[in-house]
Amino acid sequence: MSDEIERLDLRSEDLVEERLEQMRQLVPEAFSEGGVDFDKLRLLLGDEVDEGDERYAFTWPGKADAIRQSQTTSHATLRPCIEKSRGRGGEDGSFDSDNVYIEGDNLEVLKLMQRAYHGRVKLVYIDPPYNTGSDFIYKDTFADTIEHYKEEANLSGQSNAKTDGRFHANWCSMMYPRLKLARELLSDDGIIIASIDESERTNLQLILNEVFGETNFAGEIIWKNSSKNDQAYISMQHEYLLVYVKDKGSNSGNWTEKKGGLEEIYSAFEGFHAKYGNDWKAIHKAALDWYNHFPPSSPVYASKHYSWMDERGVYFPADISGPNDGQYVYDVKHPVTGKPCKRPSRGWFCPQQEMERRVSEGLIHFGDDEKTVPNIKTYLKDTEQQSLPSILYKDGRVASKKLARMFGAKVFSNPKDDGVLSQLFKAMDVKSDDVVLDFFSGSATTGEAVERMNCSQRIAAKWILVQLPENLEDNLRTATGSNKKITANAIKYLRSHGKDPLLTELAEERLRLSGDEILGEISSDSGQLTLDGTSQSQPDIGFRVFRLDDSGIERPRDGQLLIDRRKPGRTDLDIIFEAMLRWGYELTYPVEEAKFAGYPCYSVAAGDLVCCMQPGLTTDALDAIAASQPRRVLMMDSAIDDTTKLNALAIFRRVEERTQQKIELRTV
C-alpha cells in the first residue's frame, strides 16, 4: 500500500489497453518504448501477413469511426431507480431481483458492462432496427456522450431516410461497435442470435462475420411469420435469425428442441386405438388420413412418417440395411408365411443374434409377405427431440394479440413472440445463473421469454435488457398508418396510469403484466405436482431498473480543490453502484447497510466491498472494517480528513502484513 490513498478510476474498461496487454504476453519482442513495432510484428507473423495490393474487404463510409467508437471508454454511470423496480416475487419498489432493466443508449451501457460482465453472458438476443427507412437509428458521436444520448432520446421520432446518401452506412456504423462490445461480454461458449429482415440481412451477416469470424457462423433460421401477399415482385413473408457462437471449440452446438405437435399426435392415436383396437393396418390408414388434414407447414404434418402403432406406441418403419454388403447372409423368416424375407441391398444392419432378439421382442416391422424388406421400428417416444430446424413456422400475429389482451389495446408494433424465444433459449441450453442479454429490447419480449423458460425448465437464468427511452409523443408526430393508432394507444395507456409517454415505461409495464400473468398461472397449477413429485417453485419475475446518466463524481478542473466531489442530488447508492461498475461487481450483488464500531457503512457482496459515505469515520471504525478483511474499501473524500487518511493507511497496512491479503483502498 502506498503512502497516498489512490482515487477510484472512473472510466469504463479500456479494451484497447487490454488487447495490448494480451499482445505483450504473446509477443513481447514486438513492443518497443514507442509502442508496437509493426515491422517486427510482421516478421514474427511470417507468411500470415497479407501484403498484397488487392484483398477482399467489407467496408463503408464511417467504418473507421465505428471501430473507434467500440474502443473509447465511458465516464457515464448507471443510477439505481428503486421506486421503478420490482422484487423477485412481484413487490413494486423492491430491489432484490436478479434481472436488470437499463434505460439508456446501449453503446454506453455495453461499455459500462465490460468490467462486471466480461465473459459472463451466455446468450445475446437482439432485434435491432431493420432500417426500413422509418426506423430510428442511433447517431453516435465522440462528443459528450451523455449529453448526446439525452438529445438522441428526444429525437427518437427521426428516422434514417432512404434518401440519405449514407443510408446503409449509417446502419452499419450503428451496429458495428455494439456487436463488437457484445462479443466481449459473451462467455467462451456464448451465442448471439440476431433478428433481421431483407433490408439489412446481408450487411448484418458481413458485420457478424468480421466480428465473430466466419468459422463461428452456426446457421440461419428462416422465420415464416406472415401470410401477407401485398408486395410487388415477391411478397416477403419471413424474417431471418442469424446465429453465431463466440467459439465453436467451446460450443459443440448440440442444440435440440422437442418436436412440435406431439400432444396432438399422441391424442389422435389414442383415439384410433380406442376405435380400432389392435387392427394396426386400420390405425395406419386412419392416421394417414388424419395427417393429410394438416398443411405441410404444420409440425404435425412434419411427423407424418410416424403413422404406425403397436402395443409400445407410435412408430415409423426405418431402414434396416447396414453398411457391410453381404456380411450377414442369414435368413430372417416372415412371421406369417415362415419364408425368408427379402434381404436389404447392403445387408442387415446388425448381427444375427441381435436381429433374432429384435424379432422376438416385436421390434421389427414386417410387410404383408416375405417379398418386402422388413424395417426397424423407430418409436416417436424415443425420438421426441430434434436438432434445431432451419425453418420456423409461427404466426407473427400471436404476440400482438397476446399483448393487446394484456393492455386492453394494441400498444406495440410487431412484437416478437415470447414462446418462440423461450424455445430457442431452451434449445441452446441456457441454464441456471446464465445471463441472457438483449440491448435492443423494445417491447421486452426477451425478459418474459426467459421467465417462461425458467418456469418450464425449473431453472433460474437471468436477463438484462437495455432500451433507449424513446419519446412516444415524438414518434406519434411522424408515425403513419396503423403505427399512428398503436402509438396513440400506448400514450393513452401510460397517461392513464400516471406514467411518462416513454417506450421504457411501456416495456416495464409489460414486464409487470406478464410477471403477474406468470404468477397467476403458477398459482392455478399449485395443486398439481410435477413429474418428479415436487411442486412448481416461483420464478424471479422482478427486475432492477437502472438509468444511464453522467458520473456522480465531479472531476476537478486544473487547480480546482473540491472538498466534496459528489454531484448535487446524487445519493449514496448512486455513488456505490458507480463504484461497483468500475470495480467489476455485477449490478445484482447485494448492497446492505452495516455498522462498524457504530459508524454506518454499506456492505457490498457480503462484505467484499465496504463503502464509507458519511462524515465521522473514526479510528475504531477503521479497525473494525479492517478486522472484517474486505477485499476493497471505498471512502468519500468528504468523510475523511488528512489524519483519518494516515490512520487508514497505517491500519490497513498492518492487516495486509498480518494476513498477506491485499486490501484495495480508494477514495472518490
Side-chain angles (χ1 to χ4, degrees):
M1 188 175 291
S2 69
D3 291 334
E4 288 290 334
I5 301 178
E6 294 183 32
R7 293 202 178 278
L8 183 67
D9 185 355
L10 297 177
R11 298 172 301 162
S12 64
E13 183 81 350
D14 189 334
L15 297 177
V16 175
E17 182 55 40
E18 180 186 338
R19 282 181 171 75
L20 287 173
E21 183 56 35
Q22 291 171 348
M23 284 184 62
R24 287 188 190 97
Q25 298 297 323
L26 290 172
V27 283
E29 58 269 49
F31 285 79
S32 63
E33 291 183 359
V36 180
D37 184 336
F38 284 100
D39 289 333
K40 186 170 287 186
L41 183 60
R42 287 189 180 92
L43 288 173
L44 292 169
L45 294 176
D47 293 336
E48 294 301 315
V49 177
D50 182 359
E51 297 192 26
D53 293 333
E54 295 182 357
R55 67 193 70 180
Y56 174 79
F58 171 53
T59 190
W60 65 88
K63 183 177 183 179
D65 277 348
I67 293 173
R68 285 194 289 273
Q69 286 285 4
S70 70
Q71 297 170 339
T72 59
T73 58
S74 174
H75 288 85
T77 189
L78 298 176
R79 300 178 63 185
C81 302
I82 297 175
E83 70 285 355
K84 299 180 68 177
S85 300
R86 201 175 212 214
R88 54 190 308 114
E91 310 87 4
D92 287 328
S94 182
F95 208 62
D96 64 352
S97 175
D98 285 330
N99 303 317
V100 175
Y101 189 92
I102 302 174
E103 302 174 352
D105 173 12
N106 51 19
L107 180 62
E108 289 300 299
V109 172
L110 289 169
K111 291 177 182 179
L112 293 174
M113 290 177 65
Q114 291 301 319
R115 281 200 175 102
Y117 293 93
H118 189 275
R120 280 278 295 114
V121 174
K122 173 59 184 286
L123 188 145
V124 170
Y125 170 79
I126 54 170
D127 183 24
Y130 285 4
N131 206 20
T132 59
S134 58
D135 293 317
F136 169 69
I137 302 296
Y138 298 71
K139 302 292 196 301
D140 303 320
T141 177
F142 290 101
D144 185 325
T145 52
I146 297 303
E147 285 303 314
H148 174 70
Y149 144 64
K150 292 175 179 177
E151 291 174 6
E152 288 282 276
N154 289 325
L155 294 174
S156 51
Q158 293 190 359
S159 61
N160 186 38
K162 289 187 175 181
T163 54
D164 190 317
R166 293 192 173 186
F167 175 68
H168 292 289
N170 289 340
W171 190 86
C172 291
S173 290
M174 177 196 71
M175 292 300 299
Y176 188 93
R178 289 164 174 82
L179 291 171
K180 191 81 171 172
L181 290 165
R183 184 185 181 279
E184 296 294 329
L185 297 175
L186 282 176
S187 57
D188 288 342
D189 65 344
I191 306 158
I192 184 169
I193 309 171
S195 290
I196 200 68
D197 73 358
E198 67 278 3
S199 300
E200 295 290 355
R201 181 239 169 272
T202 301
N203 285 332
L204 179 58
Q205 178 151 30
L206 290 171
I207 294 173
L208 288 166
N209 281 345
E210 184 167 321
V211 172
F212 285 84
E214 289 185 53
T215 57
N216 289 316
F217 176 52
E220 177 180 64
I221 297 173
I222 308 298
W223 185 349
K224 170 70 168 66
N225 60 359
S226 171
S227 299
K228 64 182 180 182
N229 195 27
D230 56 357
Q231 289 176 295
Y233 303 105
I234 297 173
S235 183
M236 304 303 291
Q237 300 180 0
H238 65 274
E239 296 178 13
Y240 306 88
L241 297 173
L242 296 175
V243 183
Y244 283 73
V245 294
K246 186 174 183 179
D247 175 23
K248 281 188 175 178
S250 301
N251 191 321
S252 59
N254 294 323
W255 305 333
T256 60
E257 66 175 8
K258 203 167 188 177
K259 293 175 180 174
L262 291 177
E263 292 183 4
E264 292 174 89
I265 294 171
Y266 288 136
S267 178
F269 272 89
E270 285 177 9
F272 302 148
H273 195 204
K275 182 176 182 179
Y276 297 109
N278 290 346
D279 187 345
W280 309 123
K281 288 184 180 179
I283 291 175
H284 171 63
K285 184 177 184 304
L288 289 179
D289 290 340
W290 178 74
Y291 276 121
N292 285 329
H293 283 92
F294 290 88
S297 61
S298 168
V300 172
Y301 189 88
S303 296
K304 183 179 180 180
H305 49 294
Y306 287 94
S307 57
W308 288 89
M309 186 180 190
D310 65 10
E311 294 88 345
R312 288 184 177 84
V314 183
Y315 72 88
F316 85 91
D319 184 14
I320 201 170
S321 64
N324 303 305
D325 187 19
Q327 182 173 347
Y328 306 121
V329 295
Y330 57 86
D331 290 330
V332 175
K333 301 293 181 62
H334 193 277
V336 177
T337 68
K339 296 179 181 180
C341 291
K342 181 180 179 180
R343 295 194 195 106
S345 59
R346 296 192 303 157
W348 305 107
F349 85 107
C350 63
Q352 182 174 352
Q353 185 177 357
E354 172 64 12
M355 181 64 75
E356 289 173 350
R357 180 189 73 79
R358 289 181 178 245
V359 171
S360 67
E361 294 180 7
L363 298 175
I364 302 298
H365 176 90
F366 290 92
D368 292 336
D369 55 39
E370 71 281 357
K371 297 177 183 178
T372 303
V373 176
N375 295 101
I376 306 166
K377 291 181 179 179
T378 299
Y379 290 91
L380 182 57
K381 64 183 179 183
D382 298 326
T383 57
E384 290 184 346
Q385 297 292 322
Q386 64 180 3
S387 296
L388 280 179
S390 62
I391 300 179
L392 172 65
Y393 295 94
K394 187 72 174 181
D395 189 342
R397 295 168 295 182
V398 172
S400 292
K401 290 179 179 178
K402 171 185 170 177
L403 290 181
R405 172 182 54 78
M406 288 170 60
F407 281 90
K410 192 171 183 180
V411 296
F412 287 111
S413 299
N414 304 314
K416 283 295 181 283
D417 190 308
D418 62 273
V420 170
L421 296 189
S422 181
Q423 284 297 109
L424 277 176
F425 300 164
K426 172 187 168 186
M428 292 176 178
D429 203 27
V430 174
K431 296 185 175 69
S432 283
D433 294 325
D434 282 344
V435 177
V436 177
L437 168 65
D438 183 349
F439 52 90
F440 285 103
S441 63
S443 61
T445 298
T446 298
E448 181 179 351
V450 172
E451 290 170 12
R452 291 198 174 277
M453 175 192 65
N454 285 343
C455 287
S456 66
Q457 298 302 105
R458 301 177 68 201
I459 60 175
K462 310 168 187 178
W463 54 258
I464 300 175
L465 307 185
V466 186
Q467 178 58 46
L468 189 78
E470 297 180 28
N471 189 316
L472 297 179
E473 290 185 332
D474 287 344
N475 290 347
L476 181 62
R477 284 190 283 272
T478 58
T480 58
S482 61
N483 284 339
K484 198 172 190 71
K485 182 177 180 180
I486 292 170
T487 306
N489 288 341
I491 294 171
K492 181 180 178 181
Y493 179 93
L494 291 171
R495 290 294 191 198
S496 68
H497 287 74
K499 299 181 183 299
D500 294 329
L502 302 173
L503 177 55
T504 47
E505 294 284 358
L506 192 66
E508 290 162 18
E509 185 66 8
R510 181 260 175 89
L511 290 168
R512 292 187 187 93
L513 292 172
S514 63
D516 289 343
E517 190 169 272
I518 290 170
L519 283 186
E521 292 167 3
I522 292 175
S523 178
S524 65
D525 294 339
S526 60
Q528 303 179 18
L529 298 181
T530 56
L531 293 176
D532 62 0
T534 60
S535 60
Q536 172 71 59
S537 59
Q538 180 175 307
D540 182 353
I541 58 148
F543 48 92
R544 300 188 188 199
V545 177
F546 291 85
R547 184 175 73 251
L548 179 68
D549 208 335
D550 52 13
S551 172
I553 308 298
E554 291 281 10
R555 284 180 284 176
R557 296 183 293 274
D558 290 343
Q560 183 184 19
L561 179 62
L562 291 175
I563 302 301
D564 186 357
R565 297 182 66 201
R566 186 197 307 233
K567 288 182 178 177
R570 298 302 173 99
T571 67
D572 286 349
L573 288 180
D574 287 336
I575 305 303
I576 290 169
F577 275 98
E578 182 166 357
M580 288 170 64
L581 283 170
R582 303 314 183 208
W583 257 318
Y585 290 95
E586 294 182 22
L587 293 168
T588 52
Y589 281 178
V591 179
E592 301 164 312
E593 294 183 2
K595 284 191 175 182
F596 293 89
Y599 176 79
C601 295
Y602 291 89
S603 169
V604 177
D608 193 78
L609 165 64
V610 174
C611 300
C612 307
M613 313 298 291
Q614 301 300 321
L617 182 58
T618 65
T619 301
D620 287 344
L622 288 170
D623 281 328
I625 293 169
S628 71
Q629 296 185 31
R631 194 155 60 98
R632 296 184 173 104
V633 176
L634 177 71
M635 297 187 294
M636 289 294 295
D637 267 347
S638 56
I640 53 177
D641 55 24
D642 290 342
T643 301
T644 310
K645 288 181 183 179
L646 292 174
N647 288 338
L649 287 166
I651 289 168
F652 285 102
R653 185 179 291 119
R654 286 198 301 270
V655 171
E656 283 188 357
E657 291 171 352
R658 186 178 74 250
T659 64
Q660 296 299 300
Q661 174 183 315
K662 180 175 176 56
I663 300 175
E664 203 173 334
L665 188 60
R666 295 288 184 272
T667 64
V668 289

